[in-house]
Amino acid sequence: MAVVAAVAMAGCDPQAESDGTATSPSPAASSAAPTGGAATTATSTAANDAATVKACADIQKDIKDNAAKVTNAERIGPPAGHFAVSAQWAAGSVAILEHSTGANQAVAAASEKIQNEMMGLSDAYSKSADAKPSKKALEAAIKELDTACSAA
């Protein structure tokens, strides 16, 4: 309530406006503001491309790292090993999701497919100690990512 009163009172300044201390910006100051022209677009495109290249490198590294960790978890074997495999697929999907932030639309879409496939594998392993789900959809999503990254 006090804040509302303070804001309302701020508009009731008893100072005379003839002293030349107007608070609105001058026309020269207003025209100096950036307009978002070609230079701004070029800068943001370059930043997006750099973010996409970095995302691709990070995601491809995540995929390789996750594959090695899944292989190690699979060595534990059933019945308890399936929980480790499930957990690793889930962890790998989170890493993919994290590193896709800032990537262009094609890379982000491909990485989302990878993330979804990894979560599907995690679910399959958590449901059964003897699970041997197909990884063909994951492999297809990885190829889609490779294509999107090569275009970036």
Side-chain angles (χ1 to χ4, degrees), residues 37-136:
T40 303
T41 303
T43 302
S44 65
T45 301
N48 288 341
D49 290 346
T52 298
V53 169
K54 181 175 179 354
C56 285
D58 289 347
I59 293 168
Q60 289 167 338
K61 181 180 181 302
D62 291 338
I63 292 168
K64 289 177 185 173
D65 289 348
N66 192 64
K69 290 175 183 177
V70 165
T71 299
N72 288 337
E74 287 174 336
R75 289 185 186 137
I76 297 170
H82 72 286
F83 291 119
V85 174
S86 174
Q88 186 52 54
W89 280 117
S93 76
V94 170
I96 300 294
L97 185 63
E98 176 187 357
H99 288 126
S100 67
T101 303
N104 70 21
Q105 188 174 4
V107 170
S111 63
E112 184 177 348
K113 287 181 183 177
I114 292 170
Q115 189 265 339
N116 288 334
E117 291 303 324
M118 286 181 163
M119 284 306 298
L121 290 168
S122 173
D123 292 343
Y125 277 99
S126 71
K127 289 178 184 173
S128 170
D130 299 317
K132 296 290 181 199
S134 173
K135 296 177 187 165
K136 289 185 181 198

